[in-house]
Amino acid sequence: MRSVIWLVLLFGVAVVAALTLGSNDGLASFYWNGWRLDLSLNLFLLILVATCFAVVTLIHTANSLTSLPRRAREWRVAQRDRSAQAALREALAEFFGARYGRAQKAAQKALTIQAQTAGLNQDGAFLALSHLLAAQSAHRLQDRRRRDEQLQQALDLSREQGSARIVEDGTRLLAAEWALDDRDAARALGLLAELGPGVGRRTQALRLKLQAQRMAGQSLEALRTARMLAKHQGFSKLAAQGLLRSLAIEALEAARDADQLRMVWQQLDPADRRDAFVASRAASVAVTFGAPEDGRGWLRPFWEQIAELAADERAALAEALVQALPGLGPEWLQRLELAQQRWPRDAHLSYALGHALAERQLWGKARLILEQVCDDRSLPLAARRRSWLVLAQLAANDGDMERRARCHEAAAMVH
């Protein structure tokens, strides 16, 4: 089929040529020093085209001959560039295969080829990536001296050459990650602080910052970073809730006195202050600093909306309130009684009500409730033991030493 097409085209060209060149009426005459040369116009045009073709061919041939050394040099550079690229790919393959010593040698080979080739040593991005890969391999081998040397060279290239600036952010992020592996939180935070505003808000940068802040004991800053990560959907909803809660509790537990605890509580996000577990822990810490009134003040909004809380939240609030009982006012009894009437089978609410009655010296009611609480195995051991001890104190107030002894013995037997 192809032969037939070419044959048709050939006939077409022959017909066009015959129609165009068939009439040979034109004449081209050339005069030179008394000589005259007459040529048909068709022959003149054919000679002119052939001459132009020959001149162009001659010029191309001359250019090819004169550019042969340059093209040979470019070929050699291209060959060395392919060798360097192959060495870098080999280094990547060895690194991902956990053969870090071989990866380091392959990366060093790529760097050597680039450095010894005049046309390639200006490729800053390639050099920076090679140094970075060599540093990563050295880090895996626990060779910190070589790692830091390669890292510094990658950073220097990133600053000096515009083509390597794209690698600078990744270099700093990797350096921060290595600092965290070395348990050097201060260095990690310093490297992350050098990142640009846009890079610093990336998920990986925020994750590293969160780890560094937790390692450095900066609980409030870690809490703010974790909240930013949660907004960027860096965690699942459940994981974010648990992390934010634990960080808020860490910040509260890091307080050294009641004034600092109040300051930390005010610095918490409103969402954290609305968490029943965070408020319960804050109240418990306040009791250790001799400020139970502050603790009860933080717990009061939750007890006023107790119907909206889950069972585990009610249990945490009950335990925190029992710890913050000293100086309890009479208004709390009504809240506790209403809650206990709403959930009569909730042992934690009965436990809190019994201890509150004992604190208000309503010993008869307190004894009836606490005796029921002590036999409820759904309560934690510490709560049951504390209830037995309160019963022992009530017995002592009544002068019943025998019942007091039995209560102490029961408290010792709780396990």
Side-chain angles (χ1 to χ4, degrees):
M1 186 64 184
R2 185 176 299 176
S3 301
V4 174
I5 294 174
W6 279 109
L7 186 61
V8 172
L9 289 175
L10 182 61
F11 276 113
V13 171
V15 170
V16 171
L19 292 175
T20 304
L21 303 177
S23 59
N24 195 13
D25 298 335
L27 186 68
S29 298
F30 298 91
Y31 297 92
W32 177 258
N33 197 19
W35 294 86
R36 173 182 174 182
L37 178 63
D38 294 326
L39 297 174
S40 66
L41 182 61
N42 293 341
L43 179 61
F44 171 71
L45 293 175
L46 290 174
I47 293 174
L48 180 63
V49 170
T51 303
C52 291
F53 180 78
V55 171
V56 170
T57 303
L58 183 62
I59 292 173
H60 277 288
T61 303
N63 285 336
S64 299
L65 290 174
T66 56
S67 64
L68 186 61
R70 176 181 58 80
R71 289 188 291 114
R73 184 171 58 255
E74 291 176 352
W75 180 84
R76 288 193 296 270
V77 171
Q79 287 292 104
R80 295 186 68 83
D81 183 42
R82 282 194 289 270
S83 299
Q85 297 287 346
L88 184 61
R89 289 195 297 271
E90 179 187 356
L92 284 170
E94 298 290 0
F95 178 81
F96 290 126
R99 292 185 288 268
Y100 305 118
R102 297 182 182 181
Q104 195 171 8
K105 291 179 181 178
Q108 192 61 46
K109 178 181 177 182
L111 287 169
T112 302
I113 294 174
Q114 290 284 106
Q116 293 177 353
T117 307
L120 300 179
N121 53 13
Q122 300 301 318
D123 190 353
F126 183 92
L127 293 172
L129 285 174
S130 300
H131 283 299
L132 202 57
L133 186 56
Q136 181 77 317
S137 302
H139 175 72
R140 297 290 185 178
L141 295 172
Q142 299 296 315
D143 189 351
R144 292 182 175 83
R145 182 187 61 80
R146 186 182 295 272
R147 179 200 68 187
D148 293 338
E149 289 176 356
Q150 297 290 341
L151 177 65
Q152 189 59 46
Q153 292 181 25
L155 285 174
D156 293 341
L157 283 169
S158 300
R159 297 191 192 99
E160 294 171 1
Q161 300 190 18
S163 60
R165 287 194 177 276
I166 193 173
V167 189
E168 183 176 2
D169 296 336
T171 303
R172 295 191 185 281
L173 286 173
L174 270 177
E177 185 176 348
W178 299 339
L180 289 175
D181 292 341
D182 295 341
R183 312 297 296 176
D184 190 351
R187 174 173 168 76
L189 289 172
L191 289 166
L192 292 171
E194 296 174 1
L195 295 173
V199 183
R201 288 193 296 268
R202 293 175 186 171
T203 302
Q204 176 63 9
L206 290 175
R207 288 181 186 274
L208 294 174
K209 187 176 181 181
L210 175 60
Q211 295 179 33
Q213 288 170 340
R214 296 192 71 178
M215 190 180 297
Q218 302 174 3
S219 302
L220 281 175
E221 290 79 1
L223 183 59
R224 298 188 186 99
T225 304
R227 195 165 296 281
M228 290 183 62
L229 267 174
K231 291 181 180 178
H232 286 77
Q233 297 182 350
F235 307 108
S236 65
K237 186 176 181 180
L238 185 61
Q241 181 182 10
L243 178 61
L244 292 173
R245 179 179 295 161
S246 64
L247 288 173
I249 291 175
E250 285 180 9
L252 292 168
E253 292 177 343
R256 299 180 180 179
D257 52 40
D259 292 334
Q260 189 176 8
L261 178 64
R262 297 186 190 100
M263 186 182 302
V264 172
W265 176 260
Q266 292 300 324
Q267 290 177 351
L268 292 179
D269 192 86
D272 297 322
R273 294 199 296 267
R274 290 193 298 267
D275 191 322
F277 294 99
V278 175
S280 299
R281 188 56 191 156
S284 300
V285 176
V287 171
T288 62
F289 292 139
E293 182 63 31
D294 290 312
R296 290 195 299 274
W298 298 333
L299 295 176
R300 186 179 298 112
F302 298 94
W303 282 100
E304 292 173 351
Q305 300 175 359
I306 194 71
E308 302 175 4
L309 302 180
D312 55 345
E313 293 174 322
R314 294 196 301 269
L317 291 172
E319 179 62 32
L321 182 61
V322 169
Q323 297 179 24
L325 283 179
L328 184 75
E331 71 278 1
W332 277 94
L333 295 181
Q334 184 179 3
R335 297 190 187 102
L336 294 170
E337 288 173 349
L338 289 175
Q340 201 272 338
Q341 290 172 8
R342 185 178 180 88
W343 290 281
R345 296 185 179 181
D346 192 325
H348 294 88
L349 295 180
S350 299
Y351 163 70
L353 177 58
H355 282 267
L357 291 170
E359 175 67 22
R360 295 298 302 170
Q361 298 183 359
L362 299 174
W363 295 328
K365 293 182 179 180
R367 176 183 173 186
L368 291 175
I369 296 175
L370 291 176
E371 285 178 347
Q372 297 175 0
V373 166
C374 290
D375 295 331
D376 196 328
R377 294 188 176 273
S378 63
L379 283 174
L381 297 180
R384 293 167 57 198
R385 187 177 295 111
R386 186 182 293 116
S387 299
W388 278 117
L389 293 176
V390 172
L391 285 174
Q393 183 180 356
L394 295 179
N397 293 335
D398 293 339
D400 190 345
M401 295 297 107
E402 184 178 353
R403 181 157 56 87
R404 176 177 177 272
R406 288 198 304 268
C407 291
H408 279 292
E409 182 179 356
M413 295 295 293
V414 171
H415 59 275

